[in-house]
Every structure is written in structure tokens, then in C-alpha cells.
Amino acid sequence: MFHQIFSICIFLQISNSVGYIVGVISKDVILNCQFGPANLDDIIIHWTQGPRVVHSFYRSTDQLAKQAEAYRGRTKLFTSEISSGNGSLLLSSIDITDEGEYNCYASTPDGKYENKVPLKVGAEYRNLLLTPPNMLSVETMPASLSCSASGGYPNFTLLWQTVRNDGMDEKNTITPMDEKTTISHDTKGLFIVRSNLNIMQTSNRTYKCNIKNDLLNQSWNGSWKMQGTQDGKVGQDITLHHIYSNNDSSDLAITWRFKNTENSSSVILCELKGQKSTEDAKCGDKPSTTENEWNVSLVLHNVTLQDSGEYTCEITSKSSTQLFTNILKLETLPIIAPETSENLRHHYTIIASILLVLSLTTFVIFYKPK
């Protein structure tokens, strides 16, 4: 299917080879109708949708007395172009109830014209999220990975997939028993979807979720990978390394999140949009040596035990979200309690006694009378 997108002022409509018009919910759409030119006084136009009157024009003016209530204040003809044979209708602020087949009837002294215009409506899915497992609480498998979206129309397609580190797809490793998808609707009738995937192992695999709205040619990909566990010691500077390659970084947003206990909330450590970072921790900059690579490593200075926990790098754009989770484990050197003066005297006495005994034993051995 080939989609061609036209933008007219604030209008957005899509025409295609299958003969219908696609309108985007809450936007305006133009329904086309053409006929032979004539004097304005001699032209009659009726737009209908099933039994409903959408818009009428005759006697050189709009005739809206019988217009259906659903279309009040939302329709308009291009009056200055009617005599040239343009009877197209502008329908504003469309919603789900506007979907259907519209009929344009036009009459002039030269004849009668009729044009059927199927209208399909759609809305891009928003709030596209991939929520990784809480790796601080996963003692045994399975763990749960969540993929969700809302505000879309019409229905979606959702596909889970796993990819090994060697790049091989594992399409057959996910069964219907592994996933649970729930679908609901908001007050406007738009779809809300949430899918949970049970995963049995987190190493050497990337988990992917793809959501598509075929009508609007929208495709979003979310992925999550467990990077592994990194050890360190208190007082060190720790770098959680990650290099991201992308041909188009214009709309990238990079966020590092941290949580140190199973039930704690995630804290944003740093954000990077374009080449501007925030907060104290360093996100990294775009290397000048490689045009399409971003160093999004996180640098933690003089770490403490409280810095142990789960670190997730989130790389988002309009069409994708990529998550990478690291577990940081920190340890400290054992602390020796300071000696008191009484303990020191006791230790010195014992050492002196041992040295005295050794000296006497040596004397007896080497200087025994013959």
C-alpha cells in the first residue's frame, strides 16, 4: 500500500491506491467532489452520509436547515470554486463517528454527478512505553517485561521477538503462554493496549516489542537488554559504558535512571537531548571521530555503598525506545578498629615475653657446658 500525505494549512489527509481517504482524528479532512463548471445559481450540491444530511448548497448559498446535528459547525464548501466545478467538502475536527462512506450529489444544467468517498479515520498511538523487569527483585524466573500504548485507532498489531547477541532472531521461542495482552478503550473510543511478556532468561538476548498502526503507516519498536553486573569498590570512579550508533540523532533523548532497592522509585541521574546534558553525573558527548556514534556512558565519581543498584539507560526517539540495564555491585575494604592504649600495652607485653623466651632458648642451646 502506498500512502501519499498532503498538508493544506492545518488539514491532514491521506489518499491511496485503494480508493479511500484517511483522516486523522481531531484534524480536518477534505472530501473531494468534482463536476462540470456552471453558473453558481444553477448548481445544486448535496453531501450525505447514509441517511444523514451532511451539507447542502443551492440558490447560491448554503442550505443547512436539515443538516444532521453531528455536523453542525463542522462543514464548509469552497464557495469561490463551486462555479468552476469544485464541490469538495471540508470536514473539521473529525472523530471515530465520522468514519464511513460519503456521497456527493451535484446537479447542473449539463447533467447530474455523483461521487462516493469512503472515509477511514485513524490516530497514532501515543505513550508508547517499554517497562523492563525489576532486576533487583528477580531471584527466580520468570521475570515480566511490559509493552504498552494508548490513544490509537484503529486496532493495532503487536509482536514480541527475541534476538540473540549473535544477531539471530528467535521468533519461535515466544509462545501464547508467555504473553498476556489486554485491550481497553478510553472515553473517545481510542484503543489502550498493554502486553506483558514472561521471560525465562535475561542473558545473551535482546527482547523486542513492535506496535503497528497500518492505516497511518505508524511503526514503533521497543527493546530491552540486560547488560550484566559490574563490580566496583567504594571510593572509585565507575563508568557504565555504552556506545549508541544511529544514522539520525536529531530527535534522540537519552536518560539514565537509577534505583537502589527493589521497592524504591527510579531516580533520573542525567539526561541528554541533542548535545546538552543535565545534572551532576556525566552522560557523555557525541564523539567527533565517528559521525553517527554517541557515547552515552554514565560516569559516577567517588562512589559509596548507596550507589549499588540498578542502572538503566533509556534511548528514545519518535519511532523507538531502547533500554539497557546494568547492575552495579560495590564493596568496601574491611575497617580495622583503632587500638586503645591499654590494648597496645597488652600486645607489646606479649610480644616482649615471646622475644625473651626465644632469646633464652637460643642461649641454652648454643652455650650448653661441655
Side-chain angles (χ1 to χ4, degrees):
M1 183 185 300
F2 171 72
H3 292 336
Q4 186 177 2
I5 301 176
F6 300 91
S7 295
I8 306 176
C9 298
I10 60 170
F11 317 140
L12 179 59
Q13 70 181 57
I14 305 171
S15 63
N16 46 69
S17 59
V18 294
Y20 55 78
I21 297 295
V22 176
V24 178
I25 290 173
S26 80
K27 302 294 184 179
D28 301 348
V29 67
I30 296 174
L31 306 179
N32 296 314
C33 182
Q34 305 296 323
F35 50 86
N39 291 325
L40 195 62
D41 294 340
D42 299 326
I43 298 175
I44 299 173
I45 300 174
H46 291 296
W47 275 98
T48 58
Q49 199 271 316
R52 299 189 297 181
V53 176
V54 178
H55 198 106
S56 294
F57 179 94
Y58 52 89
R59 296 176 186 169
S60 301
T61 189
D62 293 320
Q63 305 288 341
L64 305 179
K66 296 183 179 181
Q67 185 181 47
E69 185 65 30
Y71 297 103
R72 295 282 183 185
R74 298 174 53 222
T75 60
K76 180 182 178 181
L77 298 178
F78 299 90
T79 308
S80 63
E81 301 178 23
I82 291 177
S83 60
S84 301
N86 183 7
S88 299
L89 177 75
L90 170 65
L91 180 60
S92 62
S93 301
I94 63 174
D95 60 25
I96 292 176
T97 62
D98 291 322
E99 190 167 61
E101 185 175 79
Y102 289 77
N103 185 70
C104 173
Y105 169 85
S107 174
T108 72
D110 293 333
K112 298 177 180 179
Y113 304 84
E114 192 167 358
N115 185 35
K116 296 185 182 299
V117 184
L119 173 64
K120 292 189 176 185
V121 301
E124 286 196 346
Y125 282 87
R126 299 174 286 105
N127 303 318
L128 295 144
L129 296 174
L130 187 68
T131 306
N134 185 345
M135 299 309 295
L136 296 179
S137 67
V138 179
E139 297 295 339
T140 59
M141 293 299 171
S144 181
L145 183 62
S146 174
C147 186
S148 60
S150 63
Y153 190 87
N155 209 343
F156 59 91
T157 57
L158 186 149
L159 176 67
W160 285 102
Q161 182 182 358
T162 62
V163 179
R164 298 200 314 243
N165 281 356
D166 58 11
M168 296 294 293
D169 292 349
E170 296 184 320
K171 296 180 181 179
N172 297 326
T173 60
I174 297 176
T175 68
M177 296 294 293
D178 297 327
E179 61 176 302
K180 180 181 179 181
T181 300
T182 58
I183 303 171
S184 58
H185 298 83
D186 63 16
T187 56
K188 296 181 180 180
L190 304 179
F191 284 91
I192 302 171
V193 56
R194 183 181 182 89
S195 182
N196 293 319
L197 177 69
N198 291 328
I199 56 178
M200 298 305 298
Q201 55 181 314
T202 60
S203 61
N204 302 320
R205 280 169 174 78
T206 298
Y207 290 86
K208 294 185 176 183
C209 172
N210 175 254
I211 295 178
K212 285 186 178 180
N213 182 339
D214 291 328
L215 183 68
L216 298 183
N217 201 28
Q218 179 193 17
S219 179
W220 175 86
N221 291 287
S223 66
W224 173 75
K225 181 180 180 181
M226 178 62 192
Q227 295 285 77
T229 299
Q230 183 168 337
D231 297 321
K233 297 185 184 303
V234 168
Q236 291 180 332
D237 290 347
I238 301 292
T239 300
L240 301 176
H241 295 280
H242 190 69
I243 301 295
Y244 175 72
S245 298
N246 186 43
N247 291 329
D248 182 12
S249 57
S250 59
D251 66 340
L252 277 185
I254 298 162
T255 306
W256 275 93
R257 302 180 188 274
F258 167 70
K259 60 190 306 182
N260 58 6
T261 64
E262 174 183 344
N263 299 317
S264 62
S265 300
S266 294
V267 177
I268 295 178
L269 294 181
C270 74
E271 294 177 292
L272 178 64
K273 296 181 179 180
Q275 296 194 38
K276 296 180 179 179
S277 60
T278 62
E279 305 300 333
D280 295 331
K282 182 176 175 59
C283 277
D285 298 316
K286 186 177 181 182
S288 57
T289 54
T290 306
E291 181 180 358
N292 296 323
E293 281 194 345
W294 286 69
N295 176 13
V296 295
S297 302
L298 180 71
V299 180
L300 302 171
H301 298 286
N302 194 23
V303 295
T304 67
L305 286 176
Q306 286 69 37
D307 293 318
S308 296
E310 178 185 282
Y311 291 80
T312 299
C313 179
E314 177 181 308
I315 304 173
T316 60
S317 66
K318 182 179 180 181
S319 61
S320 69
T321 295
Q322 298 183 57
L323 303 175
F324 303 88
T325 297
N326 299 70
I327 300 296
L328 179 61
K329 292 185 177 180
L330 298 173
E331 62 179 18
T332 184
L333 295 174
I335 300 176
I336 300 175
E339 298 281 3
T340 63
S341 58
E342 184 65 31
N343 286 338
L344 287 174
R345 281 196 297 272
H346 178 68
H347 291 163
Y348 292 153
T349 301
I350 292 174
I351 293 171
S353 299
I354 293 172
L355 291 174
L356 178 60
V357 170
L358 290 173
S359 298
L360 291 173
T361 302
T362 303
F363 178 80
V364 169
I365 292 172
F366 289 100
Y367 296 98
K368 183 186 297 183
K370 296 182 180 179

